[in-house]
């Protein structure tokens, strides 16, 4: 351990109200892979104190969202989603030995810049709580809006109860967020979900089982950029197709935050030079798979809509570009039709 | 009406100032047997969508995106981990928090009442013990007197 770390830990010990001794520090310190050391702890740390202690420690090590990370992790150990879900008095009680060990273990993982969602192995997407496992892509809040748009659009076309017999294809299901969200809202929906990652296929199946939706969802390990005929033989015609495909430009990949670069599947993010390589394949598939008047809903990068419109008009006669919708941060979602 | 309910439920009469801060209570059957949940007024609620900074989309992984549901009279807050949430569920959680907040104060009061009762009991016991001691001492004195007297010819 460097003298700088010793100095920093010394400062932490002084600030910690518990009045820690050096001996307890030596007993309970643990190291991460990078050499970042967890702060020392005595046996009577309260939940509140642990939140502050770890928030300080995350800040010290340049971990993003230090206070939020600390709050989410400790709330999770205490059986809640957020810290305000924990009883106010409980926060002032000392953590049990089991809780304390758990908090220290999980927060130490966060010290490696592991995303909070992977640390606590779950996250919420719309109404659902989904299991999260690296390197399967963590659903983004913008995609929650995409699902909202799809539901709204379907109600417009097919009526308030979405009509009868609805079939959907999702490309790149990841943790299953989009498919499971749709299935949760539309009882008569049946979904086929594809992902080129076996880990994603497994996780989607696991989440489907946890939510009791496994009978309505088929998950297949397939690459949409692979052989189209093979794909078509496995997928029947569908009423609509939905996807949050990798849409980042390759050059954008290197400037991503550590959490993403180090832990999430790059194949779920990298859309090639123009960010459109996977999108292109999806649209080609859509033109062959969609029923009459079927729709494609895609989340794409802000620069994509005009390029995609042109691509469709020029090279895909079977498709008609319908609409671009923006989310609250002005990223685009799109809607197309056969 | 509600102050009567409170008497039945808690077995004591809440002080006057607490009666000014009443909730309309609804008895609801649930997992915790019969629990009373406060009724929420939508005018007392504030819903805010919190958005994290940064480009957003796939390029960002932020956990700061959430919905905050606030009960303005008490400042009690319920937060979500998603940007679209189950509105009913969030309100149910808020009602539970309000119930604990209110009951929490009541049980604080109960605790303090119990403590003062216990203190009085201990005091009374001590007083009784002292009386008992004095009585026994007096008895032994009387007995000695008797004994002494009986030994006289």
């Amino acid at each position: 351990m460097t003298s700088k770390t010793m100095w920093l830990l010394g400062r932490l010990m002084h600030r910690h109200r518990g009045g820690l001794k050096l001996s307890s520090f030596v007993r309970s310190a643990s190291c991460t892979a990078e050499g970042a050391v967890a702060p020392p702890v005595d046996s009577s740390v309260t939940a509140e104190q642990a939140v502050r202690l770890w928030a300080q420690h995350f800040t010290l090590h340049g971990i993003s969202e230090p206070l939020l990370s600390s709050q989410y992790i400790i709330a999770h150990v205490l059986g809640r989603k957020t810290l305000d879900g924990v009883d106010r008095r409980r926060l002032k009680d000392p953590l049990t030995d089991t809780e304390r060990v758990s908090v220290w273990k999980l927060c130490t993982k966060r010290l490696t810049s592991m995303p909070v969602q992977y640390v606590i192995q779950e996250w919420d997407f719309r109404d659902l709580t989904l299991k999260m496992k690296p390197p399967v892509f963590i659903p983004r809040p913008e995609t929650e809006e995409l699902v909202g748009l799809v539901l709204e659009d379907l109600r417009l076309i097919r009526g308030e109860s979405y009509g009868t017999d609805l079939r959907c294809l999702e490309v790149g299901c990841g943790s299953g967020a989009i498919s499971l969200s749709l299935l949760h809202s539309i009882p008569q929906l049946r979904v086929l979900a594809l992902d080129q990652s076996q880990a994603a296929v497994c996780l989607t199946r696991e989440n489907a089982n946890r939510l009791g939706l496994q009978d309505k969802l088929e998950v297949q390990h397939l690459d949409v950029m692979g052989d189209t005929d093979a794909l078509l033989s496995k997928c029947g015609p569908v009423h609509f197709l939905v996807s949050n495909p990798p849409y980042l430009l390759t050059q954008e990949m290197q400037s991503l935050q550590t959490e993403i670069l180090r832990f999430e599947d790059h194949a779920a993010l990298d859309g090639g030079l123009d960010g459109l390589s996977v999108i292109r394949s999806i649209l080609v598939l859509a033109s062959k798979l969609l029923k009459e008047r079927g729709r494609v809903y895609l989340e794409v990068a802000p620069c994509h809509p005009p390029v995609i419109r042109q691509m469709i008009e020029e090279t895909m006669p079977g498709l008609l570009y319908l609409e671009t919708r923006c989310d609250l941060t002005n990223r685009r979602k799109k809607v197309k039709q056969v | 009406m509600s102050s009567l309910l409170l008497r039945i439920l808690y077995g004591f009469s809440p002080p006057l100032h607490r009666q000014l801060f009443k909730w309309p209570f609804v008895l609801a059957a649930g997992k915790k047997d019969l629990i009373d949940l406060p009724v929420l007024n939508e005018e007392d609620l504030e819903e805010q969508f919190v958005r994290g900074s940064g480009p957003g989309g796939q390029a960002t992984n932020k956990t700061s995106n959430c919905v905050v549901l606030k009960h303005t009279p008490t400042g009690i807050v319920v937060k979500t981990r998603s940007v679209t949430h189950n509105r009913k569920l969030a309100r149910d959680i808020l009602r539970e928090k309000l119930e604990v907040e209110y009951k929490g104060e009541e049980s604080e009061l109960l605790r303090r009442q119990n403590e003062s009762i216990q203190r009085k009991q201990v005091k009374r016991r001590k007083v009784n013990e002292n009386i008992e001691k004095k009585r026994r001492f007096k008895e032994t004195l009387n007995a000695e007197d008797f004994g002494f007297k009986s030994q006289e010819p």
Side-chain angles (χ1 to χ4, degrees):
Chain A
M1 190 186 345
T2 64
S3 55
K4 184 182 180 191
T5 321
M6 283 293 297
W7 174 77
L8 287 169
L9 285 164
R11 284 199 62 195
L12 264 175
M13 287 196 287
H14 281 301
R15 286 158 87 184
H16 182 57
R17 282 204 229 129
L20 302 159
K21 300 188 196 105
L22 189 59
S23 55
S24 64
F25 150 64
V26 170
R27 262 206 309 279
S28 46
S30 57
C31 289
T32 66
E34 295 191 354
V37 182
V41 56
D42 72 35
S43 56
S44 66
V45 67
T46 68
E48 239 170 24
Q49 288 167 343
V51 169
R52 270 200 301 271
L53 189 62
W54 275 104
Q56 284 168 2
H57 205 68
F58 290 146
T59 311
L60 225 52
H61 284 86
I63 301 298
S64 68
E65 303 185 307
L67 182 60
L68 274 175
S69 301
S70 179
Q71 289 172 337
Y72 280 128
I73 292 172
I74 289 160
H76 178 74
V77 170
L78 299 179
R80 293 278 184 267
K81 294 189 175 187
T82 58
L83 208 62
D84 49 83
V86 180
D87 185 45
R88 218 165 24 124
R89 294 161 293 180
R90 177 75 192 78
L91 287 176
K92 298 190 197 287
D93 288 339
L95 295 172
T96 66
D97 287 343
T98 319
E99 286 166 352
R100 197 182 61 248
V101 165
S102 196
V103 167
W104 252 250
K105 189 182 77 175
L106 295 180
C107 286
T108 301
K109 283 189 183 170
R110 181 73 186 115
L111 271 180
T112 67
S113 291
M114 180 182 280
V116 169
Q117 300 93 330
Y118 288 155
V119 170
I120 63 176
Q121 299 193 308
E122 67 171 46
W123 203 245
D124 292 347
F125 184 85
R126 290 177 61 87
D127 283 13
L128 309 175
T129 301
L130 300 171
K131 193 143 168 63
M132 297 285 132
K133 261 185 205 166
V136 180
F137 182 77
I138 296 166
R140 305 301 201 244
E142 288 80 7
T143 315
E144 292 185 48
E145 291 178 55
L146 176 65
V147 173
L149 283 173
V150 173
L151 290 171
E152 194 185 296
D153 204 50
L154 288 174
R155 279 197 297 272
L156 242 101
I157 305 168
R158 308 187 109 237
E160 275 308 304
S161 46
Y162 305 102
T164 54
D165 174 44
L166 200 53
R167 277 190 59 81
C168 155
L169 174 71
E170 184 190 355
V171 175
C173 50
S175 55
I178 297 177
S179 288
L180 294 171
S181 245
L182 291 171
L183 285 169
H184 179 74
S185 299
I186 310 174
Q188 67 273 37
L189 180 65
R190 297 294 178 269
V191 177
L192 171 61
L194 313 176
D195 206 290
Q196 50 82 38
S197 151
Q198 183 63 61
V201 167
C202 291
L203 186 58
T204 297
R205 285 183 182 146
E206 187 178 344
N207 277 321
N209 286 331
R210 282 158 68 94
L211 296 168
L213 295 169
Q214 68 279 9
D215 294 337
K216 306 183 182 185
L217 173 67
E218 189 189 341
V219 193
Q220 291 213 26
H221 182 204
L222 286 171
D223 187 346
V224 76
M225 290 175 70
D227 180 19
T228 322
D229 291 329
L231 267 173
L232 287 172
S233 68
K234 300 239 167 86
C235 314
V238 291
H239 297 92
F240 69 98
L241 202 152
V242 66
S243 182
N244 175 23
Y247 58 68
L248 297 182
L249 280 57
T250 306
Q251 72 184 64
E252 290 176 315
M253 294 291 296
Q254 48 198 325
S255 53
L256 292 175
Q257 64 191 92
T258 317
E259 279 85 356
I260 303 177
L261 264 180
R262 202 176 282 172
F263 293 93
E264 282 189 291
D265 185 1
H266 289 199
L269 295 152
D270 192 341
L273 273 173
D274 56 3
L276 289 168
S277 55
V278 183
I279 291 171
R280 203 174 277 113
S281 298
I282 293 175
L283 292 172
V284 167
L285 182 66
S287 63
K288 303 197 169 127
L289 213 56
L290 282 176
K291 292 188 183 213
E292 196 65 33
R293 298 192 178 287
R295 293 198 171 187
V296 181
Y297 304 92
L298 294 179
E299 184 178 327
V300 301
C303 60
H304 284 160
V307 186
I308 295 176
R309 178 177 217 126
Q310 191 179 17
M311 185 200 306
I312 290 176
E313 284 169 2
E314 288 174 5
T315 66
M316 298 178 192
L319 292 178
L320 173 71
Y321 190 98
L322 279 185
E323 186 183 2
T324 303
R325 299 275 286 272
C326 295
D327 68 21
L328 286 172
T329 62
N330 277 318
R331 200 150 297 273
R332 311 294 191 271
K333 289 164 195 5
K334 271 144 15 350
V335 170
K336 269 152 280 10
Q337 188 193 37
V338 172
Chain B
M1 171 57 189
S2 23
S3 59
L4 181 65
L5 255 177
L6 283 169
R7 282 202 196 94
I8 293 167
L9 291 167
Y10 301 119
F12 71 98
S13 180
L16 192 63
H17 74 272
R18 212 163 285 281
Q19 293 192 17
L20 294 170
F21 190 62
K22 276 186 297 206
W23 302 102
F25 273 79
V26 172
L27 280 172
K31 287 182 197 169
K32 306 175 199 170
D33 295 319
L34 281 174
I35 43 161
D36 36 9
L37 289 179
V39 168
L40 282 181
N41 263 325
E42 281 294 322
E43 300 122 38
D44 293 337
L45 299 180
E46 234 174 59
E47 225 162 35
Q48 247 189 340
F49 294 86
V50 177
R51 289 253 150 213
S53 58
Q58 291 175 356
T60 311
N61 179 13
K62 291 278 175 246
T63 56
S64 49
N65 302 286
C66 66
V67 183
V68 178
L69 181 65
K70 184 174 172 183
H71 182 253
T72 31
T74 56
I76 289 181
V77 146
V78 171
K79 286 189 197 161
T80 63
R81 294 189 304 201
S82 55
V83 291
T84 43
H85 67 301
N86 187 326
R87 302 184 85 232
K88 184 183 175 297
L89 188 64
R91 277 152 178 77
D92 284 344
I93 295 172
L94 185 62
R95 284 158 93 204
E96 274 180 26
K97 290 188 79 177
L98 288 171
E99 184 223 4
V100 167
E101 174 81 358
Y102 188 65
K103 264 211 183 139
E105 289 173 5
E106 296 298 352
S107 63
E108 244 320 85
L109 202 70
L110 251 177
R111 198 175 53 83
R112 269 182 266 138
Q113 281 218 345
N114 284 342
E115 275 174 19
S116 81
I117 290 169
Q118 276 174 9
R119 259 180 271 128
K120 285 181 191 161
Q121 282 176 347
V122 168
K123 219 178 179 182
R124 212 176 298 131
R125 219 180 296 132
K126 282 205 170 131
V127 168
N128 285 343
E129 274 170 21
N130 279 337
I131 293 171
E132 187 60 31
K133 277 183 192 164
K134 284 180 186 167
R135 197 178 62 77
R136 272 192 248 123
F137 184 69
K138 252 190 162 177
E139 272 181 11
T140 52
L141 282 178
N142 290 343
E144 278 166 21
D145 279 348
F146 263 99
F148 191 78
K149 275 183 185 165
S150 67
Q151 275 179 22
E152 276 182 318

